[in-house]
Amino acid sequence: DIQMTQSPSSMSASLGDRVTITCQASQDIGNNLIWFQQKPGKSPRPMIYYATNLANGVPSRFSGSRSGSDYSLTISSLESEDMADYHCLQYKQYPRTFGGGTKLELK
Amino acid sequence: EVQLQESGPGLVKPSQSLSLTCSVTGYSITSNYWGWIRKFPGNKMEWMGYISYSGSTSYNPSLKSRISITRDTSKNQFFLQLNSVTTEDTATYYCARGGHFDYWGQGVMVTVSS
């Protein structure tokens, strides 16, 4: 199975901060990665497809990037509504595998 | 609009079977892929498997022979059965449209406890 190592597992940040979350893939997954946002009591919402493509309706402060086997989700200027859990998912190979998740909280 | 809704018991006894239904509206399950994903307490998520538009299935090997995903196309529903559950199967279970996981149900919390 492809292992997705996500970091950090939790973080606290202030409004307006630039925030970056990273997933490292244990094997080549190309750009076959999705970033999800999940708020308490809600289902996961896809934010970024194919590593870098913004999903419909997602604010432009969110972006995705790739450097080799490292994939990053960046929030350029944190807003209160961004407090949530974030997960990456690789869909290059079966079984699909998730990163361990990042809990983003307000400092 | 595509909508998915999970249903099933919220409490299952150890060694018994967990059975959930996902009802889909706004899109036919004879198109695309349809999957089950679970989220454990503590935030870890696991892809469990899918059933395809043709009825073929793919399962996470971690679940070995415990899992079965089936469907009823006449009702536009698909189903999850997980056998021989333990407390480690306690989680929130989601159904989702596979491929790009663009539509999800609201999730159903299942506790395995005697």
Side-chain angles (χ1 to χ4, degrees):
Chain A
D1 298 2
I2 296 176
Q3 305 302 316
M4 301 300 297
T5 303
Q6 186 170 345
S7 61
S9 57
S10 65
M11 66 180 299
S12 58
S14 301
L15 298 180
D17 280 355
R18 181 181 181 88
V19 169
T20 297
I21 299 166
T22 299
C23 275
Q24 183 178 67
S26 64
Q27 300 175 38
D28 176 48
I29 61 168
N31 278 357
N32 297 292
L33 183 117
I34 301 172
W35 287 100
F36 293 96
Q37 177 193 69
Q38 188 174 23
K39 296 182 178 180
K42 302 293 187 180
S43 54
R45 173 192 179 189
M47 304 295 280
I48 303 283
Y49 285 108
Y50 208 57
T52 61
N53 296 345
L54 215 58
N56 287 342
V58 173
S60 59
R61 64 181 179 276
F62 288 87
S63 64
S65 62
R66 173 191 176 189
S67 176
S69 62
D70 292 333
Y71 299 80
S72 296
L73 172 71
T74 297
I75 308 171
S76 61
S77 181
L78 194 66
E79 298 192 7
S80 57
E81 65 184 35
D82 302 333
M83 303 309 151
D85 293 336
Y86 292 86
H87 296 265
C88 64
L89 167 76
Q90 68 79 21
Y91 59 102
K92 172 70 173 179
Q93 190 179 105
Y94 290 103
R96 306 306 197 209
T97 46
F98 288 87
T102 296
K103 184 174 291 293
L104 178 57
E105 297 174 318
L106 194 58
K107 188 181 289 183
Chain B
E1 182 188 2
V2 182
Q3 293 186 325
L4 294 85
Q5 173 86 47
E6 304 91 348
S7 58
L11 181 63
V12 181
K13 295 185 185 303
S15 80
Q16 294 190 343
S17 293
L18 179 162
S19 296
L20 298 175
T21 298
C22 183
S23 300
V24 181
T25 56
Y27 198 91
S28 173
I29 65 168
T30 58
S31 297
N32 219 303
Y33 294 78
W34 304 90
W36 290 96
I37 301 98
R38 60 184 178 176
K39 185 175 186 179
F40 299 99
N43 216 21
K44 178 186 172 186
M45 296 188 72
E46 180 180 58
W47 175 84
M48 302 181 71
Y50 75 71
I51 187 163
S52 78
Y53 53 89
S54 67
S56 63
T57 54
S58 176
Y59 302 134
N60 194 321
S62 70
L63 297 168
K64 297 180 182 177
S65 57
R66 295 199 298 137
I67 186 174
S68 176
I69 299 175
T70 57
R71 67 180 183 170
D72 183 336
T73 57
S74 69
K75 295 181 178 179
N76 217 40
Q77 295 175 327
F78 63 104
F79 312 101
L80 171 70
Q81 181 169 319
L82 187 65
N83 299 322
S84 304
V85 298
T86 72
T87 55
E88 295 191 352
D89 294 309
T90 292
T92 299
Y93 288 75
Y94 297 93
C95 58
R97 189 167 77 169
H100 289 90
F101 301 90
D102 48 359
Y103 293 96
W104 294 64
Q106 85 287 352
V108 58
M109 186 178 298
V110 178
T111 301
V112 179
S113 175
S114 55

